[in-house]
Amino acid sequence: MLDFYQLSLDADLNTYQLIVSIFGRLPLLTETLGQIRATGTSLIAGGNASDADRSRMAFQIDNGRTALAQFSSNIDKVFLIEPDLKTTFGSLAQDATQQALDALTGRWRICQRPCHYYPGGICPRLYLGD
């Protein structure tokens, strides 16, 4: 998409950082968080987690932290360059960053609602919550 619309060639600093944040860093962050959630759900549904499973999960969480740091750095540059965007989207970006940080620091909970789709009738999916 970036190349099709020639966004990757934008030399304007004001829009370049925004383009990098929204079309590069954010998709990587959301994909990484999705992989972490899927791996965690799989481990819970499977029962026992091996050392290899734990290592893979730690690696994915590390990737998530890196992706979050890169996104945060880029979005901070956007807000520095365009203060009006910070006024409009700053609190949303801060909330999203906090939710991602919560996900990466282990504030996951197991759903455990009754559900006929899963063996034993209990939903093993993970969600963020208190």
Side-chain angles (χ1 to χ4, degrees):
M1 183 160 87
L2 291 173
D3 289 336
F4 182 78
Y5 291 104
Q6 297 181 345
L7 295 173
S8 57
L9 303 175
D10 192 340
D12 184 2
L13 184 60
N14 291 357
T15 55
Y16 174 77
Q17 291 297 338
L18 182 62
I19 290 167
V20 168
S21 296
I22 301 303
F23 293 106
R25 304 295 186 200
L26 187 58
L28 178 63
L29 176 60
T30 55
E31 174 64 22
T32 304
L33 291 173
Q35 289 175 1
I36 292 168
R37 182 176 186 214
T39 300
T41 299
S42 175
L43 293 177
I44 289 171
N48 294 329
S50 69
D51 287 341
D53 292 331
R54 287 187 195 86
S55 180
R56 181 173 45 132
M57 188 67 152
F59 177 76
Q60 287 178 325
I61 290 170
D62 240 15
N63 283 345
R65 288 185 180 131
T66 299
L68 178 60
Q70 290 172 342
F71 172 74
S72 294
S73 175
N74 271 101
I75 206 71
D76 287 345
K77 290 175 188 176
V78 169
F79 292 155
L80 186 63
I81 295 166
E82 292 288 340
D84 289 341
L85 287 177
K86 184 173 185 174
T87 302
T88 305
F89 297 108
S91 64
L92 294 171
Q94 188 175 11
D95 289 346
T97 299
Q98 185 59 51
Q99 288 178 14
L101 191 58
D102 289 348
L104 295 168
T105 55
R107 294 183 67 184
W108 289 95
R109 302 291 178 258
I110 301 171
C111 179
Q112 296 188 346
R113 289 184 305 203
C115 180
H116 66 278
Y117 294 114
Y118 297 98
I122 300 294
C123 172
R125 291 179 297 138
L126 297 177
Y127 71 97
L128 283 173
D130 295 323

